[in-house]
Amino acid sequence: MLRFTEEHEWLKQDGDEVVVGITQYATEQLGDLVFVELPEEGRTVAKGDEVVVIESVKAASDILAPLDGQITEVNSAIVANPAMVNEDPMENGWFFRMILADPTDLDGLMDEEGYRKFVES
Amino acid sequence: MAEQLAETPLHALHVGLGARMVPFAGYDMPVQYPSGILKEHLHTRAAAGLFDVSHMGQVELWPASGDVADVARALERLVPADILSLAPGRQRYSFFTDANGGILDDLMVTNGGDHLLLVVNAARKAHDLAHLQAGLDGVEVVPLERGLIALQGSTAEAALAELNSDVRGMRFMDVRALDLGGMPAVVSRSGYTGEDGFEISLAERDTADVAQRLLGFPGVLPVGLGARDSLRLEAGLCLWGHDIDETTTPVEAALEWAIPPARRSGGDRAGGFPGAEVILGQIASGAARRRVGLLPEGRAPMREGIELFAEAEGGASAGRVTSGGFGPSLDAPLAMGYVPMELAAPGTRLYGQLRGRMLPATVTKLPFVRPGYRRK
């Protein structure tokens, strides 16, 4: 099941963890990424913390922790090849995995239909 | 209230091509097309990119006397270039200076035979017109309402030659009035990318037609302002309002190459432009700081405003990045900035403060990429 934030992140539940990345819409708005900096594995984060820095040719942006929890794994492949995020944002271009402090927090986020309406509004 | 943005003659073409439009210098301009900044940038170097630069100011200067030398002499009171020796059909880079030796704008000057033609920055059009009107005696200052297209890249000549093969006979900084498939144009062999290429001035009504014909040739892609910026940065070219402005002198900006011997101390027409004492003094005894190229280590871009330091531990600021980003052809981050003379030698290791960390960057020679200008 996919969930979405207003910051254009997607979250996909996978066992005890969620996988986090940014949406196709976000990558289209950002343009070609040339730099990605990921958090340290094991870091405890609060919702809204700046956890990832991404830079396109034109500008830098921060990616915020979508919910409270702990980072368990990061996708170092996108550090070596930031273009992967543009090419495949929903699969190979994922950013990190995290364990949520409270898995029911997911229910507060948008579902696919809700996100589609959010982007169109 | 959103300000009313002006549109260039190519506005409908941009929208039709799916460009992302952004406000720039009062115009609604394409920052990129669907192919994206990276591809647009690399394509321009590998083949040819077509840029809408119609937002820039085109101004003719006509002599009341009928003698273009009188306009040249008048303009030399505002710029430190040698305009009097500029041959008909040739173009030269210069800048308007102020009394403190600062740079009010940079510009291209063409000798059109019986008049001069200037191209100035879009954001400085109104300023420059007022400056010219106040500063030139016996000269009619005529702002032009014309389109301007830049066709840049290694195959630009082949594409433009399809419309008029005479362009093959032009060399870097030549300017000619040419017929492009029935449409009268003023074509210069110059640009703002570090590549060979042309800038094509056209009547507004003909601009979209010529642009569309050029885009129809193989290898010509539309390129937006995003790649225009990364291309000029790799070429080490200054952007007014960022790398140069009223607070930087031409010597600090490493632009003294554009001040020829005739205008320097001991020359035939030494001085006589605003701030000459400061600028010629700096040519003689040096300036305290200098614009340099910087290659950050790693992959993180150092953008405009990043503070520079001589030591990893910080301490007193050693300057600031004035333009910076990612260079697609270099496949690495790159920047320009001002540093004290003692830190300006290529190879000097500096540190940029980025997100609270000190990241090393090495002073390097400009340009970052080898220019493709057709000098002969």
Side-chain angles (χ1 to χ4, degrees):
Chain A
M1 185 189 61
L2 277 172
R3 293 289 176 180
F4 296 85
T5 70
E6 293 188 358
E7 311 295 327
H8 306 283
E9 293 155 290
W10 55 260
L11 295 85
K12 188 161 64 184
Q13 198 152 18
D14 184 20
D16 293 342
E17 298 177 330
V18 290
V19 188
V20 180
I22 59 172
T23 65
Q24 177 85 34
Y25 176 84
T27 62
E28 284 163 8
Q29 295 303 305
L30 290 163
D32 301 308
L33 297 192
V34 296
F35 175 76
V36 178
E37 188 176 86
L38 294 169
E40 280 178 40
E41 293 174 353
R43 180 175 154 192
T44 300
V45 297
K47 179 181 175 176
D49 284 356
E50 293 165 7
V51 285
V52 176
V53 176
I54 53 177
E55 302 224 18
S56 68
V57 184
K58 275 213 79 69
S61 318
D62 292 315
I63 301 295
L64 310 180
L67 294 169
D68 297 351
Q70 187 177 25
I71 307 286
T72 52
E73 189 183 346
V74 298
N75 183 6
S76 48
I78 62 171
V79 175
N81 182 14
M84 275 176 73
V85 179
N86 295 95
E87 287 155 10
D88 191 9
M90 304 296 292
E91 296 288 343
N92 288 327
W94 62 279
F95 282 7
F96 54 85
R97 300 171 78 95
M98 65 187 292
I99 291 175
L100 298 180
D102 180 356
T104 63
D105 283 349
L106 273 179
D107 302 335
L109 302 179
M110 290 177 277
D111 62 11
E112 255 180 301
E113 175 66 11
Y115 179 68
R116 192 180 58 78
K117 283 184 182 151
F118 172 72
V119 166
E120 284 169 3
S121 65
Chain B
M1 291 288 286
E3 69 178 307
Q4 189 61 42
L5 293 174
E7 295 178 358
T8 74
L10 298 186
H11 188 269
L13 181 65
H14 302 314
V15 172
L17 288 167
R20 180 177 310 160
M21 306 298 287
V22 297
F24 184 84
Y27 284 80
D28 193 32
M29 297 296 289
V31 66
Q32 65 167 84
Y33 298 86
S35 51
I37 296 175
L38 277 181
K39 284 199 184 71
E40 290 170 27
H41 177 116
L42 295 170
H43 184 90
T44 301
R45 298 226 187 277
L50 184 140
F51 304 72
D52 181 8
V53 287
S54 302
H55 57 311
M56 297 190 77
Q58 302 180 63
V59 184
E60 284 179 353
L61 304 180
W62 288 87
S65 65
D67 182 358
V68 72
D70 290 335
V71 194
R73 268 186 284 266
L75 185 61
E76 286 193 359
R77 297 175 56 81
L78 300 182
V79 303
D82 182 352
I83 307 297
L84 208 51
S85 79
L86 183 64
R90 292 288 292 164
Q91 188 176 55
R92 199 158 270 172
Y93 174 75
S94 192
F95 21 79
F96 295 118
T97 52
D98 70 13
N100 303 317
I103 299 174
L104 294 168
D105 196 9
D106 60 348
L107 71 157
M108 300 296 280
V109 184
T110 293
N111 183 342
D114 49 5
H115 67 282
L116 299 181
L117 170 66
L118 313 185
V119 179
V120 304
N121 280 300
R124 297 298 278 172
K125 263 193 273 195
H127 167 274
D128 292 353
L129 273 177
H131 186 63
L132 289 164
Q133 271 149 356
L136 300 180
D137 287 328
V139 174
E140 194 190 354
V141 178
V142 185
L144 304 181
E145 296 294 325
R146 286 170 69 81
L148 191 64
I149 298 169
L151 185 68
Q152 301 280 298
S154 48
T155 69
E157 181 193 76
L160 194 55
E162 296 276 342
L163 297 183
N164 189 324
S165 60
D166 288 357
V167 299
R168 293 190 189 280
M170 295 173 68
R171 66 192 166 106
F172 186 52
M173 296 295 224
D174 275 351
V175 183
R176 286 196 199 168
L178 293 176
D179 177 290
L180 297 180
M183 287 165 283
V186 177
V187 177
S188 68
R189 192 154 201 165
S190 56
Y192 194 48
T193 59
E195 291 301 316
D196 181 29
F198 302 87
E199 290 192 346
I200 305 158
S201 172
L202 292 149
E204 287 190 320
R205 65 176 178 281
D206 295 336
T207 309
D209 198 349
V210 170
Q212 244 149 357
R213 286 203 212 183
L214 291 170
L215 287 170
F217 298 126
V220 181
L221 279 188
V223 178
L225 293 177
R228 182 169 160 82
D229 193 51
S230 55
L231 287 158
R232 71 94 194 165
L233 183 52
E234 283 185 343
L237 299 171
C238 291
L239 176 58
W240 192 90
H242 301 260
D243 309 297
I244 49 174
D245 61 22
E246 295 96 332
T247 70
T248 62
T249 71
V251 181
E252 292 171 334
L255 296 173
E256 57 272 74
W257 57 267
I259 305 175
R263 305 302 307 277
R264 297 186 182 193
S265 303
D268 285 353
R269 302 186 308 289
F273 53 87
E277 204 171 313
V278 173
I279 294 167
L280 297 185
Q282 289 184 349
I283 288 178
S285 20
R289 59 178 189 152
R290 194 161 182 84
R291 177 177 60 100
V292 296
L294 293 164
L295 285 175
E297 286 176 25
R299 303 290 292 176
M302 289 186 189
R303 299 187 191 272
E304 182 175 1
I306 295 280
E307 202 85 31
L308 299 167
F309 296 87
E311 309 289 340
E313 293 73 31
S317 168
R320 206 171 52 80
V321 170
T322 52
S323 279
F326 184 83
S329 302
L330 217 56
D331 191 26
L334 74 179
M336 297 196 293
Y338 285 81
V339 298
M341 261 334 280
E342 59 270 24
L343 299 175
T348 306
R349 199 173 149 97
L350 301 174
Y351 297 85
Q353 189 166 29
L354 187 62
R355 295 185 276 271
R357 274 175 296 179
M358 290 292 194
L359 298 180
T362 304
V363 174
T364 186
K365 273 190 178 163
L366 294 172
F368 296 95
V369 297
R370 198 188 153 93
Y373 308 137
R374 203 69 56 91
R375 292 189 189 273
K376 48 187 158 186

